[in-house]
Amino acid sequence: MWRLSLQDIAVRYGQKTVLDGVSAQFSGGEMAGVIGSNGVGKSTLLKAVAGLLPHAGSALLREDSGEVGTRRDIAYVPQLGAMNTRLTVFEMVLLGLIGSLGWRVTPEQTAQVEEVLRELGLLAIARQPFSTLSGGQRQLVTMAQSLIGRPKVLLLDEPTSALDLRHQLIVMNLAQDYTRRTGAITLFVAHDLTLTSRYGDRILLLQGGKVRAFDSPQEVLRPEPLEEVYQVGVSLQATQMGFLSVIPTKPL
């Protein structure tokens, strides 16, 4: 089993400290939601783990056998944004293999791309320009680009923020299925606490650049920490599916 260990992760921009000694342990097959108020460092944490930002502390990926993971084992999926490109869906996903691409695309690499597109139901639009896709389709293609390398850690930065309800479920179900099936570790940033409760095996709550709580949804999503962090009153209800529905009631 793969394990991801964060030890005293700290990020500073000039005189401003964004993250201040974040430590947590994650296990293979686990999805963990990262929550907190705006500007608390959620996206910064994922970028630090991905090696995209200079930081103090360490993020170590290790298998129980002793094998140590590398940066190539970690895939970061950024927030969905505008992208003007003439690349097709096939070409966008192929870029996920950039570390192993040569002057020619091999039949094996073509087969890899087609396999991932088939798994995500995107094969029919493989030759379509990426810029012509809907937001939901773009997010799925971005996920396919990350998953083609079969990462051991998947970092999703607000993967549902620009999606309708149907595509929110499609994207999160895809991440959950990949995590369970491969034993990967998935960290996802979300503002929707109900969604986080549904898909997060554990939840990391950040406050002031530090870990306020890190536990099961039932332990983290409680009135006291949520009201302190978000400055709103909350009502919590258990759903028939077994996760918590978090309803903001009034600003404090």
Side-chain angles (χ1 to χ4, degrees):
M1 177 185 292
W2 285 94
R3 303 183 191 277
L4 176 64
S5 175
L6 309 185
Q7 187 66 40
D8 294 326
I9 298 290
V11 176
R12 294 176 176 84
Y13 296 122
Q15 299 299 313
K16 182 179 180 181
T17 298
V18 180
L19 296 175
D20 187 12
V22 173
S23 298
Q25 311 285 329
F26 306 92
S27 299
E30 175 181 32
M31 288 187 70
V34 181
I35 64 173
S37 59
N38 287 340
V40 77
K42 302 182 296 293
S43 297
T44 298
L45 178 62
L46 264 60
K47 290 176 182 178
V49 173
L52 301 176
L53 287 177
H55 62 276
S58 63
L60 179 63
L61 178 64
R62 185 187 295 272
E63 212 269 340
D64 287 345
S65 65
E67 180 182 353
V68 177
T70 69
R71 188 174 297 183
R72 285 191 179 183
D73 294 314
I74 301 176
Y76 171 75
V77 181
Q79 297 179 37
L80 185 63
M83 180 185 293
N84 294 318
T85 176
R86 295 183 179 180
L87 295 178
T88 65
V89 169
F90 183 94
E91 292 164 339
M92 285 291 292
V93 176
L94 182 64
L95 285 177
L97 295 173
I98 194 167
S100 59
L101 290 177
W103 289 105
R104 289 187 174 183
V105 177
T106 67
E108 291 77 14
Q109 290 168 333
T110 297
Q112 280 182 269
V113 175
E114 291 177 347
E115 179 184 359
V116 170
L117 291 175
R118 187 177 296 107
E119 288 177 356
L120 272 63
L122 297 171
L123 197 56
I125 60 171
R127 302 301 172 185
Q128 191 168 326
F130 180 80
S131 59
T132 66
L133 302 182
S134 68
Q137 289 174 322
R138 288 187 182 204
Q139 189 69 303
L140 287 174
V141 172
T142 305
M143 292 278 285
Q145 186 186 72
S146 298
L147 297 181
I148 192 170
R150 304 303 181 191
K152 298 174 177 65
V153 175
L154 183 62
L155 306 172
L156 306 178
D157 194 351
E158 297 191 38
T160 62
S161 61
L163 304 183
D164 59 33
L165 293 176
R166 178 174 181 271
H167 282 95
Q168 287 180 29
L169 293 179
I170 289 174
V171 167
M172 293 307 294
N173 285 341
L174 171 64
Q176 187 179 62
D177 175 71
Y178 178 81
T179 303
R180 303 286 193 259
R181 177 166 45 85
T182 66
I185 299 164
T186 295
L187 276 61
F188 65 95
V189 170
H191 286 292
D192 186 332
L193 301 186
T194 299
L195 186 83
T196 306
S197 171
R198 176 170 181 168
Y199 289 98
D201 299 302
R202 288 191 292 170
I203 297 177
L204 181 69
L205 174 61
L206 295 177
Q207 181 181 21
K210 299 178 180 292
V211 176
R212 173 66 170 79
F214 182 41
D215 210 322
S216 67
Q218 291 73 22
E219 291 298 322
V220 176
L221 300 179
R222 296 183 294 108
E224 180 184 353
L226 294 182
E227 291 175 355
E228 181 181 331
V229 169
Y230 290 99
Q231 293 296 293
V232 294
V234 296
S235 172
L236 301 173
Q237 298 177 6
T239 70
Q240 292 182 344
M241 296 181 67
F243 57 86
L244 290 172
S245 175
V246 183
I247 304 168
T249 57
K250 60 180 181 180
L252 299 178

